[in-house]
Amino acid sequence: MTWPTWLRPSRLFSRRMGVALLWALLICGVAVTVNVAGIHVVGSIDGWEHWLHAHSTHFLAWRLVLYAATAYGWWWMRQRLRQREPTAETYQRLLRVEIAAVVTVVLLEGSQWLRNG
């Protein structure tokens, strides 16, 4: 039986995948902890939702700063990669990733905008 490269057990259970899984669990744990702490501080889930909605502009500004920092880091990495690998294939690969990233951010922010009105 031939396994696809990404599905091989040696690749699925590698150190890199373990570290990535650990980071994902850590981020989820922090998110749950912050929400539970917020609910306890405010007093109820409805109060927490109201507080989040009241401060949504601050969170938008925070996300925009994060997007700007990520875009700067991407631009820096892209310049280095294009110097190291100046092929058309590299350009096409980067273009596909950039389009996917922009579409993802637009859909995420659009869903937030539609949900909050």
Side-chain angles (χ1 to χ4, degrees), residues 72-86 90 93-94:
Y72 175 76
W74 178 263
W75 176 80
W76 177 80
M77 186 272 317
R78 184 181 198 277
Q79 298 300 331
R80 289 179 49 121
L81 185 63
R82 290 294 309 266
Q83 288 174 356
R84 192 174 64 220
E85 299 178 26
T90 302
R93 190 176 60 203
L94 285 171

Side-chain angles (χ1 to χ4, degrees), residues 84-100:
R84 192 174 64 220
E85 299 178 26
T87 63
E89 180 185 339
T90 302
Y91 175 76
Q92 287 298 321
R93 190 176 60 203
L94 285 171
L95 187 62
R96 283 192 304 265
V97 170
E98 290 165 353
I99 290 170

Side-chain angles (χ1 to χ4, degrees), residues 1-106:
M1 179 173 169
T2 304
W3 294 78
T5 304
W6 64 271
L7 196 55
R8 291 191 180 134
S10 63
R11 187 169 174 127
L12 286 176
F13 300 111
S14 67
R15 180 180 171 96
R16 177 180 279 176
M17 288 301 290
V19 170
L21 181 61
L22 186 62
W23 272 108
L25 289 174
L26 180 67
I27 290 170
C28 289
V30 168
V32 167
T33 303
V34 167
N35 278 297
V36 168
I39 290 168
H40 283 291
V41 166
V42 176
S44 69
I45 294 175
D46 291 333
W48 179 240
E49 288 178 355
H50 177 70
W51 185 88
L52 287 173
H53 184 69
H55 293 85
S56 62
T57 307
H58 298 34
F59 291 120
L60 174 62
W62 170 249
R63 288 193 311 272
L64 290 175
V65 168
L66 286 178
Y67 294 150
T70 303
Y72 175 76
W74 178 263
W75 176 80
W76 177 80
M77 186 272 317
R78 184 181 198 277
Q79 298 300 331
R80 289 179 49 121
L81 185 63
R82 290 294 309 266
Q83 288 174 356
R84 192 174 64 220
E85 299 178 26
T87 63
E89 180 185 339
T90 302
Y91 175 76
Q92 287 298 321
R93 190 176 60 203
L94 285 171
L95 187 62
R96 283 192 304 265
V97 170
E98 290 165 353
I99 290 170
V102 169
V103 167
T104 301
V105 168
V106 167

